[in-house]
Amino acid sequence: MRVAPVGGTAVQDHVALAEIELCGELIIAASAAHEERLSLESIDEVLKVAEERARATAE
């Protein structure tokens, strides 16, 4: 088992942080939808799927 060193040296996993942020956005969107389920289109909008696809094809 590996333990983070003591002394304030923080290691950041940018991919994990991005995933946590996306999960948070989904939770906010789901709570704003009240008792309705989010549609696949709404989920894609929250996760900015179209924007990511456009960016990926532009590269």
Side-chain angles (χ1 to χ4, degrees), residues 22 44 46-59:
L22 290 174
D44 285 351
V46 170
L47 298 178
K48 301 179 177 139
V49 172
E51 293 172 21
E52 286 299 315
R53 283 186 183 148
R55 186 183 60 81
T57 57
E59 292 178 351

Side-chain angles (χ1 to χ4, degrees), residues 13-36:
D13 183 341
H14 297 287
V15 173
L17 291 174
E19 289 178 358
I20 291 167
E21 184 176 339
L22 290 174
C23 286
E25 294 294 328
L26 280 174
I27 291 168
I28 291 168
S31 67
H34 304 287
E35 293 185 23
E36 297 176 25

Side-chain angles (χ1 to χ4, degrees), residues 37-52:
R37 293 182 121 181
L38 290 177
S39 67
L40 293 177
E41 293 81 15
S42 296
I43 293 169
D44 285 351
E45 185 178 326
V46 170
L47 298 178
K48 301 179 177 139
V49 172
E51 293 172 21
E52 286 299 315

